[in-house]
Amino acid sequence: MASRVLLRGARSVATAAPRAARSFHATPRTLTDATAPLPARKPVGAFRGGLFGFLLGSTLAGAGVYGYVLREYKASNELLTEDIYALQAACQRLNTYVQQLEEKMDAAERKKK
């Protein structure tokens, strides 16, 4: 069955009218269009282009470094703040412990008298 379908398709392709090949020739209109001069471009000097590229690259690099330094500063500032609060809490605990020891020493001295 499939071979019959393929055979019919092959016959229809073989009997179809062959297409005319496209000819490659130039008409007078295309010849005149091809010879039209291109618009003049203003050249960008190497010095101006290099200077512009350098300034643009420096600006982008500086902005990237600024953002990186700012993020690092914030992170280190937060860590430092946490350490300061931890040190403050430790000092308060030590102060409370010393006060309790002093009270016990005073109570022991009163008992001796």
Side-chain angles (χ1 to χ4, degrees):
M1 179 72 177
S3 63
R4 288 182 184 173
V5 171
L6 290 176
L7 185 61
R8 287 182 193 164
R11 284 183 190 163
S12 65
V13 170
T15 59
R19 294 185 178 189
R22 181 176 175 159
S23 61
F24 295 101
H25 66 279
T27 62
R29 181 177 177 188
T30 57
L31 286 176
T32 57
D33 289 343
T35 59
L38 296 175
R41 289 181 50 199
K42 285 188 176 180
V44 176
F47 180 73
R48 272 194 302 172
L51 185 62
F52 177 71
F54 172 75
L55 291 175
L56 180 66
S58 297
T59 303
L60 291 175
V65 168
Y66 176 75
Y68 173 76
V69 168
L70 191 63
R71 286 190 302 272
E72 289 295 317
Y73 172 74
K74 285 182 180 179
S76 65
N77 194 19
E78 288 174 2
L79 288 174
L80 184 62
T81 304
E82 288 177 12
D83 288 343
I84 289 173
Y85 287 145
L87 181 63
Q88 186 179 14
C91 287
Q92 287 176 349
R93 284 194 310 265
L94 183 63
N95 190 15
T96 314
Y97 180 71
V98 169
Q99 285 177 353
Q100 289 174 354
L101 284 178
E102 286 176 351
E103 289 173 2
K104 287 181 183 178
M105 292 291 287
D106 288 341
E109 285 181 11
R110 279 188 240 145
K111 283 185 182 179
K112 284 184 183 180
K113 289 185 184 181

